[in-house]
Amino acid sequence: MAGTLSQDEINALLSSVSAGKQIDVEEPAIEPSGPKHVRIYNFRHPDKFSKSHLSTMELIYEGFSRQLKTALFVYVRQSINFSLASVEQQSFEEYVEALPTLTSLITFKMKNLPGSAVLEISPDLTFLILDKLLGGAGDHITKVRDLTEIEQVIIRKVADRILMAFRAAWEEIHDIGPMIESLETNPQLLQIVPPNEIVAVATLEVRIGESTGAMSICLPYLTLEPIMPKLTRQTWFSAKFEHKDGDKTESINIRENINQVKLPVSIELGRTKVTIRDLLQLKPGDSIRVDTPSNHDIKVLINGKVKFYAQPGVVGKRLAVKTTGVAN
């Protein structure tokens, strides 16, 4: 054992004591007493997402809520508002325990990222959307039940539209390319990570008319770990500005291309009806009476559609029209 004296060393010590010699013993250094900085660490619930990570995700999900308003308007056909309620980290077990007994749970994978994530649509919101899509008034549900096969197909299509907006919101950080894996309604069957694994959960509140609902997205730390270095406000803002510059350049290119498109323009002086007999009897010098009075505007058609009103005239030796208004 380290620090044990040999027999020769013991004998030398005893001889020194009997001879009256002083033995120098090295005393251990005593550290000065004072307050110590102790950081509490919960091994059952470690903080894997920093405040910076959560703050950046708040920016992402705020953009996601704006994207959703446009993405789902075509489905509900009325005003729909999304607001970010919270972005927090918790264990996967805590997330599952907080879910309703029957809810829409869409698991999806993300391109070049490990594992799976979860999109949860609350029962209130699920049946509200289904009622609107199937011709109802979007009334509040009174009883929660399992989804039929047809309803599951509809919800998967809605989820696909939601994930398109989710992809657009994350594009400044990473092209996630979400792909739906499955649809469940029982939270107890949801097993994408171990129960004690840390996940980032974003909760959004949804209002459609007078009805309300909720939606949440659960992203495991193991899934986001490869892109954690990029999950910063600086990266997000930098990519955002670059994206805006790219949009401006693209907008200029689109405008230039549109300016080169040629469309047929025609003038309609008026309309009338004639019999085939009268048409066959027409000869040079005959006049045809139309339904547009001489003091009224004539129609300017672009690609066969009325776009402007104008007055006929002459410029030099050419026939011309002068626009006087825009058609509604």
Side-chain angles (χ1 to χ4, degrees), residues 74-108:
V74 66
Y75 281 99
V76 299
R77 300 185 302 279
Q78 71 178 81
S79 176
I80 179 170
N81 292 303
F82 293 84
S83 59
L84 180 63
S86 65
V87 177
E88 56 186 5
Q89 61 176 320
Q90 54 188 251
S91 69
F92 183 66
E93 183 178 20
E94 292 172 338
Y95 172 69
V96 172
E97 289 177 352
L99 294 174
T101 304
L102 288 176
T103 187
S104 299
L105 298 165
I106 297 94
T107 59
F108 62 95

PDB file of all heavy atoms in Angstrom, residues 74-108:
ATOM      1  N   VAL A  74     -55.657  28.083 -46.081  1.00  0.00           N
ATOM      2  CA  VAL A  74     -56.356  27.415 -47.185  1.00  0.00           C
ATOM      3  C   VAL A  74     -57.218  26.272 -46.670  1.00  0.00           C
ATOM      4  O   VAL A  74     -58.219  25.903 -47.290  1.00  0.00           O
ATOM      5  CB  VAL A  74     -55.330  26.898 -48.222  1.00  0.00           C
ATOM      6  CG1 VAL A  74     -54.462  25.798 -47.635  1.00  0.00           C
ATOM      7  CG2 VAL A  74     -56.033  26.382 -49.467  1.00  0.00           C
ATOM      8  N   TYR A  75     -56.881  25.716 -45.505  1.00  0.00           N
ATOM      9  CA  TYR A  75     -57.650  24.611 -44.951  1.00  0.00           C
ATOM     10  C   TYR A  75     -58.867  25.093 -44.168  1.00  0.00           C
ATOM     11  O   TYR A  75     -59.969  24.569 -44.339  1.00  0.00           O
ATOM     12  CB  TYR A  75     -56.771  23.747 -44.038  1.00  0.00           C
ATOM     13  CG  TYR A  75     -55.877  22.800 -44.790  1.00  0.00           C
ATOM     14  CD1 TYR A  75     -54.539  23.114 -45.023  1.00  0.00           C
ATOM     15  CD2 TYR A  75     -56.352  21.587 -45.274  1.00  0.00           C
ATOM     16  CE1 TYR A  75     -53.706  22.248 -45.709  1.00  0.00           C
ATOM     17  CE2 TYR A  75     -55.533  20.717 -45.972  1.00  0.00           C
ATOM     18  CZ  TYR A  75     -54.215  21.052 -46.183  1.00  0.00           C
ATOM     19  OH  TYR A  75     -53.407  20.200 -46.876  1.00  0.00           O
ATOM     20  N   VAL A  76     -58.666  26.069 -43.296  1.00  0.00           N
ATOM     21  CA  VAL A  76     -59.777  26.487 -42.427  1.00  0.00           C
ATOM     22  C   VAL A  76     -60.654  27.561 -43.064  1.00  0.00           C
ATOM     23  O   VAL A  76     -61.770  27.800 -42.621  1.00  0.00           O
ATOM     24  CB  VAL A  76     -59.230  26.988 -41.069  1.00  0.00           C
ATOM     25  CG1 VAL A  76     -58.482  25.880 -40.367  1.00  0.00           C
ATOM     26  CG2 VAL A  76     -58.316  28.196 -41.245  1.00  0.00           C
ATOM     27  N   ARG A  77     -60.122  28.252 -44.082  1.00  0.00           N
ATOM     28  CA  ARG A  77     -60.879  29.249 -44.835  1.00  0.00           C
ATOM     29  C   ARG A  77     -61.451  30.361 -43.940  1.00  0.00           C
ATOM     30  O   ARG A  77     -62.550  30.851 -44.171  1.00  0.00           O
ATOM     31  CB  ARG A  77     -62.007  28.577 -45.638  1.00  0.00           C
ATOM     32  CG  ARG A  77     -61.518  27.555 -46.627  1.00  0.00           C
ATOM     33  CD  ARG A  77     -62.666  27.014 -47.465  1.00  0.00           C
ATOM     34  NE  ARG A  77     -63.717  26.420 -46.664  1.00  0.00           N
ATOM     35  CZ  ARG A  77     -63.673  25.189 -46.176  1.00  0.00           C
ATOM     36  NH1 ARG A  77     -62.628  24.415 -46.398  1.00  0.00           N
ATOM     37  NH2 ARG A  77     -64.672  24.716 -45.461  1.00  0.00           N
ATOM     38  N   GLN A  78     -60.726  30.714 -42.907  1.00  0.00           N
ATOM     39  CA  GLN A  78     -61.094  31.850 -42.074  1.00  0.00           C
ATOM     40  C   GLN A  78     -59.867  32.279 -41.269  1.00  0.00           C
ATOM     41  O   GLN A  78     -58.821  31.635 -41.326  1.00  0.00           O
ATOM     42  CB  GLN A  78     -62.260  31.512 -41.146  1.00  0.00           C
ATOM     43  CG  GLN A  78     -61.934  30.568 -40.007  1.00  0.00           C
ATOM     44  CD  GLN A  78     -63.129  30.322 -39.123  1.00  0.00           C
ATOM     45  OE1 GLN A  78     -63.986  29.509 -39.448  1.00  0.00           O
ATOM     46  NE2 GLN A  78     -63.206  31.013 -37.999  1.00  0.00           N
ATOM     47  N   SER A  79     -59.997  33.368 -40.537  1.00  0.00           N
ATOM     48  CA  SER A  79     -58.866  33.905 -39.797  1.00  0.00           C
ATOM     49  C   SER A  79     -58.332  32.880 -38.804  1.00  0.00           C
ATOM     50  O   SER A  79     -59.082  32.265 -38.052  1.00  0.00           O
ATOM     51  CB  SER A  79     -59.297  35.175 -39.051  1.00  0.00           C
ATOM     52  OG  SER A  79     -58.242  35.659 -38.247  1.00  0.00           O
ATOM     53  N   ILE A  80     -57.012  32.672 -38.831  1.00  0.00           N
ATOM     54  CA  ILE A  80     -56.362  31.738 -37.918  1.00  0.00           C
ATOM     55  C   ILE A  80     -55.109  32.406 -37.360  1.00  0.00           C
ATOM     56  O   ILE A  80     -54.333  32.998 -38.111  1.00  0.00           O
ATOM     57  CB  ILE A  80     -56.031  30.404 -38.620  1.00  0.00           C
ATOM     58  CG1 ILE A  80     -55.328  29.442 -37.665  1.00  0.00           C
ATOM     59  CG2 ILE A  80     -55.212  30.610 -39.872  1.00  0.00           C
ATOM     60  CD1 ILE A  80     -55.193  28.029 -38.204  1.00  0.00           C
ATOM     61  N   ASN A  81     -54.930  32.349 -36.052  1.00  0.00           N
ATOM     62  CA  ASN A  81     -53.807  33.015 -35.397  1.00  0.00           C
ATOM     63  C   ASN A  81     -53.026  32.026 -34.544  1.00  0.00           C
ATOM     64  O   ASN A  81     -53.616  31.200 -33.828  1.00  0.00           O
ATOM     65  CB  ASN A  81     -54.304  34.166 -34.515  1.00  0.00           C
ATOM     66  CG  ASN A  81     -54.884  35.301 -35.343  1.00  0.00           C
ATOM     67  OD1 ASN A  81     -54.232  35.851 -36.206  1.00  0.00           O
ATOM     68  ND2 ASN A  81     -56.136  35.638 -35.083  1.00  0.00           N
ATOM     69  N   PHE A  82     -51.703  32.114 -34.642  1.00  0.00           N
ATOM     70  CA  PHE A  82     -50.811  31.284 -33.839  1.00  0.00           C
ATOM     71  C   PHE A  82     -49.964  32.202 -32.963  1.00  0.00           C
ATOM     72  O   PHE A  82     -49.493  33.246 -33.408  1.00  0.00           O
ATOM     73  CB  PHE A  82     -49.879  30.451 -34.729  1.00  0.00           C
ATOM     74  CG  PHE A  82     -50.574  29.403 -35.540  1.00  0.00           C
ATOM     75  CD1 PHE A  82     -51.158  29.720 -36.762  1.00  0.00           C
ATOM     76  CD2 PHE A  82     -50.659  28.098 -35.090  1.00  0.00           C
ATOM     77  CE1 PHE A  82     -51.799  28.764 -37.509  1.00  0.00           C
ATOM     78  CE2 PHE A  82     -51.305  27.134 -35.840  1.00  0.00           C
ATOM     79  CZ  PHE A  82     -51.872  27.464 -37.043  1.00  0.00           C
ATOM     80  N   SER A  83     -49.760  31.808 -31.719  1.00  0.00           N
ATOM     81  CA  SER A  83     -48.885  32.565 -30.820  1.00  0.00           C
ATOM     82  C   SER A  83     -48.018  31.583 -30.048  1.00  0.00           C
ATOM     83  O   SER A  83     -48.504  30.535 -29.579  1.00  0.00           O
ATOM     84  CB  SER A  83     -49.701  33.426 -29.854  1.00  0.00           C
ATOM     85  OG  SER A  83     -50.565  32.634 -29.072  1.00  0.00           O
ATOM     86  N   LEU A  84     -46.737  31.900 -29.927  1.00  0.00           N
ATOM     87  CA  LEU A  84     -45.796  31.028 -29.226  1.00  0.00           C
ATOM     88  C   LEU A  84     -45.998  31.176 -27.723  1.00  0.00           C
ATOM     89  O   LEU A  84     -45.844  32.265 -27.167  1.00  0.00           O
ATOM     90  CB  LEU A  84     -44.358  31.384 -29.618  1.00  0.00           C
ATOM     91  CG  LEU A  84     -43.258  30.554 -28.966  1.00  0.00           C
ATOM     92  CD1 LEU A  84     -43.370  29.095 -29.383  1.00  0.00           C
ATOM     93  CD2 LEU A  84     -41.885  31.118 -29.329  1.00  0.00           C
ATOM     94  N   ALA A  85     -46.342  30.082 -27.057  1.00  0.00           N
ATOM     95  CA  ALA A  85     -46.572  30.121 -25.603  1.00  0.00           C
ATOM     96  C   ALA A  85     -45.271  29.914 -24.834  1.00  0.00           C
ATOM     97  O   ALA A  85     -44.988  30.645 -23.873  1.00  0.00           O
ATOM     98  CB  ALA A  85     -47.589  29.055 -25.208  1.00  0.00           C
ATOM     99  N   SER A  86     -44.445  28.942 -25.243  1.00  0.00           N
ATOM    100  CA  SER A  86     -43.202  28.676 -24.518  1.00  0.00           C
ATOM    101  C   SER A  86     -42.282  27.787 -25.329  1.00  0.00           C
ATOM    102  O   SER A  86     -42.724  27.047 -26.214  1.00  0.00           O
ATOM    103  CB  SER A  86     -43.500  28.004 -23.168  1.00  0.00           C
ATOM    104  OG  SER A  86     -44.085  26.722 -23.377  1.00  0.00           O
ATOM    105  N   VAL A  87     -40.986  27.888 -24.999  1.00  0.00           N
ATOM    106  CA  VAL A  87     -39.972  26.951 -25.494  1.00  0.00           C
ATOM    107  C   VAL A  87     -39.147  26.553 -24.279  1.00  0.00           C
ATOM    108  O   VAL A  87     -38.484  27.392 -23.672  1.00  0.00           O
ATOM    109  CB  VAL A  87     -39.061  27.582 -26.571  1.00  0.00           C
ATOM    110  CG1 VAL A  87     -37.987  26.580 -26.994  1.00  0.00           C
ATOM    111  CG2 VAL A  87     -39.861  28.031 -27.778  1.00  0.00           C
ATOM    112  N   GLU A  88     -39.186  25.302 -23.909  1.00  0.00           N
ATOM    113  CA  GLU A  88     -38.492  24.860 -22.703  1.00  0.00           C
ATOM    114  C   GLU A  88     -37.941  23.458 -22.880  1.00  0.00           C
ATOM    115  O   GLU A  88     -38.370  22.719 -23.773  1.00  0.00           O
ATOM    116  CB  GLU A  88     -39.440  24.898 -21.502  1.00  0.00           C
ATOM    117  CG  GLU A  88     -40.713  24.075 -21.689  1.00  0.00           C
ATOM    118  CD  GLU A  88     -41.683  24.243 -20.552  1.00  0.00           C
ATOM    119  OE1 GLU A  88     -41.411  25.061 -19.658  1.00  0.00           O
ATOM    120  OE2 GLU A  88     -42.705  23.539 -20.534  1.00  0.00           O
ATOM    121  N   GLN A  89     -36.977  23.123 -22.015  1.00  0.00           N
ATOM    122  CA  GLN A  89     -36.428  21.780 -22.033  1.00  0.00           C
ATOM    123  C   GLN A  89     -36.982  20.987 -20.859  1.00  0.00           C
ATOM    124  O   GLN A  89     -37.190  21.519 -19.773  1.00  0.00           O
ATOM    125  CB  GLN A  89     -34.904  21.805 -21.995  1.00  0.00           C
ATOM    126  CG  GLN A  89     -34.292  22.448 -20.765  1.00  0.00           C
ATOM    127  CD  GLN A  89     -32.780  22.347 -20.774  1.00  0.00           C
ATOM    128  OE1 GLN A  89     -32.218  21.317 -21.166  1.00  0.00           O
ATOM    129  NE2 GLN A  89     -32.118  23.409 -20.362  1.00  0.00           N
ATOM    130  N   GLN A  90     -37.212  19.723 -21.102  1.00  0.00           N
ATOM    131  CA  GLN A  90     -37.730  18.818 -20.086  1.00  0.00           C
ATOM    132  C   GLN A  90     -37.386  17.407 -20.500  1.00  0.00           C
ATOM    133  O   GLN A  90     -36.883  17.174 -21.599  1.00  0.00           O
ATOM    134  CB  GLN A  90     -39.240  18.996 -19.926  1.00  0.00           C
ATOM    135  CG  GLN A  90     -40.027  18.861 -21.215  1.00  0.00           C
ATOM    136  CD  GLN A  90     -41.489  19.219 -21.066  1.00  0.00           C
ATOM    137  OE1 GLN A  90     -42.353  18.355 -21.116  1.00  0.00           O
ATOM    138  NE2 GLN A  90     -41.770  20.503 -20.867  1.00  0.00           N
ATOM    139  N   SER A  91     -37.652  16.459 -19.618  1.00  0.00           N
ATOM    140  CA  SER A  91     -37.418  15.066 -19.992  1.00  0.00           C
ATOM    141  C   SER A  91     -38.549  14.593 -20.896  1.00  0.00           C
ATOM    142  O   SER A  91     -39.670  15.107 -20.835  1.00  0.00           O
ATOM    143  CB  SER A  91     -37.330  14.183 -18.742  1.00  0.00           C
ATOM    144  OG  SER A  91     -38.595  14.086 -18.118  1.00  0.00           O
ATOM    145  N   PHE A  92     -38.242  13.585 -21.701  1.00  0.00           N
ATOM    146  CA  PHE A  92     -39.262  13.059 -22.599  1.00  0.00           C
ATOM    147  C   PHE A  92     -40.424  12.468 -21.811  1.00  0.00           C
ATOM    148  O   PHE A  92     -41.584  12.550 -22.228  1.00  0.00           O
ATOM    149  CB  PHE A  92     -38.638  11.995 -23.514  1.00  0.00           C
ATOM    150  CG  PHE A  92     -39.589  11.437 -24.533  1.00  0.00           C
ATOM    151  CD1 PHE A  92     -40.095  12.227 -25.549  1.00  0.00           C
ATOM    152  CD2 PHE A  92     -40.000  10.105 -24.463  1.00  0.00           C
ATOM    153  CE1 PHE A  92     -40.982  11.722 -26.488  1.00  0.00           C
ATOM    154  CE2 PHE A  92     -40.877   9.590 -25.401  1.00  0.00           C
ATOM    155  CZ  PHE A  92     -41.372  10.399 -26.413  1.00  0.00           C
ATOM    156  N   GLU A  93     -40.138  11.888 -20.658  1.00  0.00           N
ATOM    157  CA  GLU A  93     -41.184  11.325 -19.810  1.00  0.00           C
ATOM    158  C   GLU A  93     -42.155  12.413 -19.344  1.00  0.00           C
ATOM    159  O   GLU A  93     -43.374  12.218 -19.353  1.00  0.00           O
ATOM    160  CB  GLU A  93     -40.550  10.639 -18.604  1.00  0.00           C
ATOM    161  CG  GLU A  93     -41.534   9.948 -17.685  1.00  0.00           C
ATOM    162  CD  GLU A  93     -40.846   9.258 -16.530  1.00  0.00           C
ATOM    163  OE1 GLU A  93     -39.685   9.613 -16.227  1.00  0.00           O
ATOM    164  OE2 GLU A  93     -41.457   8.363 -15.922  1.00  0.00           O
ATOM    165  N   GLU A  94     -41.624  13.579 -18.957  1.00  0.00           N
ATOM    166  CA  GLU A  94     -42.479  14.691 -18.537  1.00  0.00           C
ATOM    167  C   GLU A  94     -43.348  15.175 -19.691  1.00  0.00           C
ATOM    168  O   GLU A  94     -44.520  15.524 -19.494  1.00  0.00           O
ATOM    169  CB  GLU A  94     -41.621  15.839 -18.004  1.00  0.00           C
ATOM    170  CG  GLU A  94     -40.906  15.531 -16.711  1.00  0.00           C
ATOM    171  CD  GLU A  94     -39.916  16.621 -16.313  1.00  0.00           C
ATOM    172  OE1 GLU A  94     -39.483  17.378 -17.217  1.00  0.00           O
ATOM    173  OE2 GLU A  94     -39.580  16.711 -15.127  1.00  0.00           O
ATOM    174  N   TYR A  95     -42.771  15.209 -20.882  1.00  0.00           N
ATOM    175  CA  TYR A  95     -43.529  15.653 -22.057  1.00  0.00           C
ATOM    176  C   TYR A  95     -44.697  14.714 -22.333  1.00  0.00           C
ATOM    177  O   TYR A  95     -45.837  15.159 -22.551  1.00  0.00           O
ATOM    178  CB  TYR A  95     -42.609  15.729 -23.267  1.00  0.00           C
ATOM    179  CG  TYR A  95     -43.325  15.992 -24.572  1.00  0.00           C
ATOM    180  CD1 TYR A  95     -43.921  17.225 -24.820  1.00  0.00           C
ATOM    181  CD2 TYR A  95     -43.412  15.004 -25.550  1.00  0.00           C
ATOM    182  CE1 TYR A  95     -44.591  17.475 -26.018  1.00  0.00           C
ATOM    183  CE2 TYR A  95     -44.076  15.239 -26.747  1.00  0.00           C
ATOM    184  CZ  TYR A  95     -44.661  16.471 -26.974  1.00  0.00           C
ATOM    185  OH  TYR A  95     -45.326  16.706 -28.157  1.00  0.00           O
ATOM    186  N   VAL A  96     -44.443  13.410 -22.300  1.00  0.00           N
ATOM    187  CA  VAL A  96     -45.484  12.422 -22.596  1.00  0.00           C
ATOM    188  C   VAL A  96     -46.585  12.455 -21.543  1.00  0.00           C
ATOM    189  O   VAL A  96     -47.784  12.375 -21.865  1.00  0.00           O
ATOM    190  CB  VAL A  96     -44.874  11.014 -22.712  1.00  0.00           C
ATOM    191  CG1 VAL A  96     -45.966   9.952 -22.820  1.00  0.00           C
ATOM    192  CG2 VAL A  96     -43.952  10.923 -23.921  1.00  0.00           C
ATOM    193  N   GLU A  97     -46.194  12.596 -20.278  1.00  0.00           N
ATOM    194  CA  GLU A  97     -47.189  12.598 -19.200  1.00  0.00           C
ATOM    195  C   GLU A  97     -48.122  13.799 -19.285  1.00  0.00           C
ATOM    196  O   GLU A  97     -49.269  13.740 -18.818  1.00  0.00           O
ATOM    197  CB  GLU A  97     -46.486  12.582 -17.845  1.00  0.00           C
ATOM    198  CG  GLU A  97     -45.819  11.243 -17.519  1.00  0.00           C
ATOM    199  CD  GLU A  97     -45.080  11.278 -16.200  1.00  0.00           C
ATOM    200  OE1 GLU A  97     -44.957  12.394 -15.626  1.00  0.00           O
ATOM    201  OE2 GLU A  97     -44.626  10.217 -15.743  1.00  0.00           O
ATOM    202  N   ALA A  98     -47.671  14.896 -19.870  1.00  0.00           N
ATOM    203  CA  ALA A  98     -48.492  16.105 -19.969  1.00  0.00           C
ATOM    204  C   ALA A  98     -49.441  16.084 -21.163  1.00  0.00           C
ATOM    205  O   ALA A  98     -50.302  16.951 -21.283  1.00  0.00           O
ATOM    206  CB  ALA A  98     -47.596  17.338 -20.054  1.00  0.00           C
ATOM    207  N   LEU A  99     -49.314  15.093 -22.057  1.00  0.00           N
ATOM    208  CA  LEU A  99     -50.150  15.033 -23.249  1.00  0.00           C
ATOM    209  C   LEU A  99     -51.544  14.509 -22.912  1.00  0.00           C
ATOM    210  O   LEU A  99     -51.706  13.694 -22.002  1.00  0.00           O
ATOM    211  CB  LEU A  99     -49.507  14.133 -24.309  1.00  0.00           C
ATOM    212  CG  LEU A  99     -48.187  14.613 -24.913  1.00  0.00           C
ATOM    213  CD1 LEU A  99     -47.610  13.541 -25.825  1.00  0.00           C
ATOM    214  CD2 LEU A  99     -48.368  15.917 -25.664  1.00  0.00           C
ATOM    215  N   PRO A 100     -52.574  14.928 -23.665  1.00  0.00           N
ATOM    216  CA  PRO A 100     -53.927  14.382 -23.473  1.00  0.00           C
ATOM    217  C   PRO A 100     -53.960  12.892 -23.788  1.00  0.00           C
ATOM    218  O   PRO A 100     -53.085  12.363 -24.485  1.00  0.00           O
ATOM    219  CB  PRO A 100     -54.787  15.177 -24.465  1.00  0.00           C
ATOM    220  CG  PRO A 100     -53.980  16.388 -24.802  1.00  0.00           C
ATOM    221  CD  PRO A 100     -52.547  15.993 -24.676  1.00  0.00           C
ATOM    222  N   THR A 101     -54.983  12.209 -23.283  1.00  0.00           N
ATOM    223  CA  THR A 101     -55.095  10.756 -23.476  1.00  0.00           C
ATOM    224  C   THR A 101     -55.202  10.397 -24.951  1.00  0.00           C
ATOM    225  O   THR A 101     -54.540   9.480 -25.434  1.00  0.00           O
ATOM    226  CB  THR A 101     -56.324  10.216 -22.730  1.00  0.00           C
ATOM    227  OG1 THR A 101     -56.230  10.585 -21.358  1.00  0.00           O
ATOM    228  CG2 THR A 101     -56.399   8.703 -22.842  1.00  0.00           C
ATOM    229  N   LEU A 102     -56.033  11.121 -25.698  1.00  0.00           N
ATOM    230  CA  LEU A 102     -56.162  10.915 -27.142  1.00  0.00           C
ATOM    231  C   LEU A 102     -55.794  12.209 -27.852  1.00  0.00           C
ATOM    232  O   LEU A 102     -56.475  13.221 -27.702  1.00  0.00           O
ATOM    233  CB  LEU A 102     -57.587  10.500 -27.510  1.00  0.00           C
ATOM    234  CG  LEU A 102     -58.018   9.089 -27.111  1.00  0.00           C
ATOM    235  CD1 LEU A 102     -59.481   8.874 -27.450  1.00  0.00           C
ATOM    236  CD2 LEU A 102     -57.165   8.043 -27.815  1.00  0.00           C
ATOM    237  N   THR A 103     -54.719  12.175 -28.602  1.00  0.00           N
ATOM    238  CA  THR A 103     -54.274  13.365 -29.331  1.00  0.00           C
ATOM    239  C   THR A 103     -53.553  12.920 -30.596  1.00  0.00           C
ATOM    240  O   THR A 103     -53.161  11.759 -30.722  1.00  0.00           O
ATOM    241  CB  THR A 103     -53.346  14.225 -28.450  1.00  0.00           C
ATOM    242  OG1 THR A 103     -53.063  15.456 -29.108  1.00  0.00           O
ATOM    243  CG2 THR A 103     -52.054  13.504 -28.135  1.00  0.00           C
ATOM    244  N   SER A 104     -53.375  13.820 -31.533  1.00  0.00           N
ATOM    245  CA  SER A 104     -52.712  13.484 -32.799  1.00  0.00           C
ATOM    246  C   SER A 104     -51.207  13.646 -32.631  1.00  0.00           C
ATOM    247  O   SER A 104     -50.720  14.756 -32.404  1.00  0.00           O
ATOM    248  CB  SER A 104     -53.224  14.386 -33.924  1.00  0.00           C
ATOM    249  OG  SER A 104     -54.603  14.207 -34.114  1.00  0.00           O
ATOM    250  N   LEU A 105     -50.481  12.538 -32.737  1.00  0.00           N
ATOM    251  CA  LEU A 105     -49.035  12.526 -32.559  1.00  0.00           C
ATOM    252  C   LEU A 105     -48.382  12.086 -33.866  1.00  0.00           C
ATOM    253  O   LEU A 105     -48.481  10.918 -34.243  1.00  0.00           O
ATOM    254  CB  LEU A 105     -48.642  11.589 -31.420  1.00  0.00           C
ATOM    255  CG  LEU A 105     -49.196  11.958 -30.041  1.00  0.00           C
ATOM    256  CD1 LEU A 105     -49.068  10.793 -29.089  1.00  0.00           C
ATOM    257  CD2 LEU A 105     -48.477  13.183 -29.496  1.00  0.00           C
ATOM    258  N   ILE A 106     -47.757  13.017 -34.537  1.00  0.00           N
ATOM    259  CA  ILE A 106     -47.114  12.727 -35.823  1.00  0.00           C
ATOM    260  C   ILE A 106     -45.613  12.665 -35.599  1.00  0.00           C
ATOM    261  O   ILE A 106     -44.986  13.680 -35.232  1.00  0.00           O
ATOM    262  CB  ILE A 106     -47.453  13.788 -36.886  1.00  0.00           C
ATOM    263  CG1 ILE A 106     -48.958  13.796 -37.163  1.00  0.00           C
ATOM    264  CG2 ILE A 106     -46.691  13.546 -38.177  1.00  0.00           C
ATOM    265  CD1 ILE A 106     -49.735  14.790 -36.348  1.00  0.00           C
ATOM    266  N   THR A 107     -45.012  11.508 -35.761  1.00  0.00           N
ATOM    267  CA  THR A 107     -43.555  11.380 -35.658  1.00  0.00           C
ATOM    268  C   THR A 107     -42.949  11.619 -37.036  1.00  0.00           C
ATOM    269  O   THR A 107     -43.492  11.171 -38.042  1.00  0.00           O
ATOM    270  CB  THR A 107     -43.138  10.001 -35.130  1.00  0.00           C
ATOM    271  OG1 THR A 107     -43.634   8.993 -36.010  1.00  0.00           O
ATOM    272  CG2 THR A 107     -43.698   9.767 -33.738  1.00  0.00           C
ATOM    273  N   PHE A 108     -41.817  12.314 -37.053  1.00  0.00           N
ATOM    274  CA  PHE A 108     -41.166  12.609 -38.324  1.00  0.00           C
ATOM    275  C   PHE A 108     -39.656  12.616 -38.161  1.00  0.00           C
ATOM    276  O   PHE A 108     -39.129  12.865 -37.077  1.00  0.00           O
ATOM    277  CB  PHE A 108     -41.644  13.955 -38.880  1.00  0.00           C
ATOM    278  CG  PHE A 108     -41.332  15.146 -38.006  1.00  0.00           C
ATOM    279  CD1 PHE A 108     -40.188  15.919 -38.215  1.00  0.00           C
ATOM    280  CD2 PHE A 108     -42.191  15.517 -36.980  1.00  0.00           C
ATOM    281  CE1 PHE A 108     -39.909  17.012 -37.419  1.00  0.00           C
ATOM    282  CE2 PHE A 108     -41.920  16.618 -36.178  1.00  0.00           C
ATOM    283  CZ  PHE A 108     -40.781  17.370 -36.398  1.00  0.00           C
TER     284      PHE A 108
END
